Amino acid sequence: MEFQYEESGLVWMDPEVSTAIEMELDRERENVNLIASENYSSMAVLEAQGSVMTNKYAEGYPGRRYYSGCGPVDMVENLALGRARELFGCEHVNVQPHAGSQANMAVYMTALELGETMMAMDLRCGGHLTHGATFNFSGMLYRTVHYGLDRETERLDYDRIADIAAREKPRLIVAGASAYPRSIDFAAFREIADSVGAALMVDMAHFGGLVVGGVHPDPVPYSDFVTGTTHKTMRGPRGGFILCREAYGPRVDAAVFPGMQGGPLMHAIAAKAVCFKEAMSPEFKEYQERIVANCRALCDKMASEGFRIVTGGTDTHLFLVDLRPTGITGREAQDVLESVGINVNKNEVPYDETPPTVTGGIRIGTPAITTRGMQPVDMEDIGRMIVTALKNMDDESALNSIRSEVKELIGSFPLYGGETESSRIDPRD
Ligand code: DSN
């Protein structure tokens, strides 16, 4: 095989990788995706992400790079920065973090000295790994104290959080979570931070799109730092960003580069610029409203079938089902649902004693199915399919009929051109 890098497409150059990508496309088309942190980015985003900007080194920031030839990449980074400032109404933006974890790390490097105390939500109550888990850099480099949820209401208890803050005197307080179904009171967090002289960071990786759509409280007016990702409810490329007050801008920028990253991923930044442009459209606001309406409808359906919903409901794009009363583990539920073409993820519920690899619950989210055009009325069918699969885990004929129903339903919501059978060309034939 002769390597001709200008002419050779992926199918010719690397049929194995090409086949895996085709399989992934089929998988995405054929499954009902209820993973709360996933979505389908637009063709425009995919095109920018797969562009020649992957070739360019651009260490530094627009107008002050360490390499020549940065005119076009400066253009896209400036577009991304300007659009994000307008979209989120913030003073300073950094779009270079490779992912949400790096965005969080850069804020910690800005706000804390090594070993200083930060306070964040417990992973086992819905917080993120980078919120101080002992096996993550955040828990290794900083002293972390955690707040949880009220055992009765399963909601944030702001009085209790204030008490912990008063006792532990954190220098940084982190609000935001990966598996909390309710909206967060950022004014209350600001008051707590001020009462102990801490800075406030909000991690809106999950609900950033809802904020843009006006269906979730906006953390920007209350926070010193806001971190986010572009690939969840924002429906863009995989990546992170930081919003902050102007005064912190130079230190945040220095923490990202040269503090913890080298060359920015300019193809990803180009795609982030496209994502922010898409998010400025009126359609995006309607999309966010529909995510929440779908989530409420699906949550109501599960509750009406007798499943216990953590906190009794949802305000956001996700909800948690506590499966412990049913005797089914989160892992079993995830596996049986996957087998019928429905993707959810196993998830701990608050104060779950089940091991984290097994879990007592599942997390269900609606950003991806809403992108495919589903409406609240479709949630009746999805909910019924989930419930039937969970109640008939050992009944192969019941599962088979759910499989056919899932296939038929998802076939009415085409994705990326709609074909479900890929045409795989094997150049060796
Ligand atoms: N892994 C993501 C999630 O699923 O919530 C968070 O980074």
Side-chain angles (χ1 to χ4, degrees), residues 119 147-151 153-164 180 188-189 192:
M119 180 169 136
Y147 55 86
L149 298 169
D150 180 86
R151 278 182 185 266
T153 63
E154 301 173 308
R155 294 183 186 230
L156 292 165
D157 175 345
Y158 297 96
D159 290 338
R160 172 101 186 99
I161 296 169
D163 287 346
I164 301 171
Y180 183 61
F189 266 108
I192 295 167

Side-chain angles (χ1 to χ4, degrees), residues 35 37 128 178 206 232 345 363:
I35 294 179
S37 48
H128 188 250
S178 290
H206 261 265
K232 297 186 178 95
N345 68 283
R363 186 182 65 164

Side-chain angles (χ1 to χ4, degrees), residues 202-217:
V202 173
D203 180 342
M204 65 168 187
H206 261 265
F207 53 84
L210 305 189
V211 170
V212 172
V215 289
H216 189 286

Side-chain angles (χ1 to χ4, degrees), residues 166-178:
R167 193 182 65 226
E168 302 288 348
K169 303 268 183 301
R171 183 126 188 246
L172 177 72
I173 295 180
V174 177
S178 290

Side-chain angles (χ1 to χ4, degrees), residues 128-151:
H128 188 250
L129 283 176
T130 57
H131 296 176
T134 47
F135 40 81
N136 179 265
F137 78 87
S138 51
M140 293 171 190
L141 302 182
Y142 305 102
R143 175 177 173 265
T144 313
V145 289
H146 283 121
Y147 55 86
L149 298 169
D150 180 86
R151 278 182 185 266

Side-chain angles (χ1 to χ4, degrees), residues 109-283:
M109 286 170 69
T110 304
L112 297 165
E113 299 296 333
L114 287 181
E116 280 190 331
T117 303
M118 70 166 186
M119 180 169 136
M121 190 161 172
D122 197 331
L123 179 65
R124 300 206 74 176
C125 284
H128 188 250
L129 283 176
T130 57
H131 296 176
T134 47
F135 40 81
N136 179 265
F137 78 87
S138 51
M140 293 171 190
L141 302 182
Y142 305 102
R143 175 177 173 265
T144 313
V145 289
H146 283 121
Y147 55 86
L149 298 169
D150 180 86
R151 278 182 185 266
E152 280 292 303
T153 63
E154 301 173 308
R155 294 183 186 230
L156 292 165
D157 175 345
Y158 297 96
D159 290 338
R160 172 101 186 99
I161 296 169
D163 287 346
I164 301 171
R167 193 182 65 226
E168 302 288 348
K169 303 268 183 301
R171 183 126 188 246
L172 177 72
I173 295 180
V174 177
S178 290
Y180 183 61
R182 296 297 184 172
S183 53
I184 298 172
D185 184 346
F186 300 119
F189 266 108
R190 177 77 262 169
E191 207 175 299
I192 295 167
D194 286 345
S195 72
V196 295
L200 176 63
M201 174 187 122
V202 173
D203 180 342
M204 65 168 187
H206 261 265
F207 53 84
L210 305 189
V211 170
V212 172
V215 289
H216 189 286
D218 182 357
V220 171
Y222 300 100
S223 314
D224 299 290
F225 311 93
V226 175
T227 58
T229 56
T230 39
H231 51 279
K232 297 186 178 95
T233 47
M234 287 296 293
R235 202 166 57 178
R238 192 156 289 276
F241 62 88
I242 303 168
L243 317 174
C244 65
R245 297 192 193 281
E246 193 61 61
Y248 290 114
R251 279 164 55 208
V252 163
D253 288 351
V256 175
F257 170 82
M260 50 164 299
Q261 287 186 181
L265 308 178
M266 293 313 308
H267 55 307
I269 290 173
K272 287 175 193 177
V274 177
C275 159
F276 295 142
K277 181 169 184 179
E278 290 174 353
M280 287 167 164
S281 69
E283 184 278 334

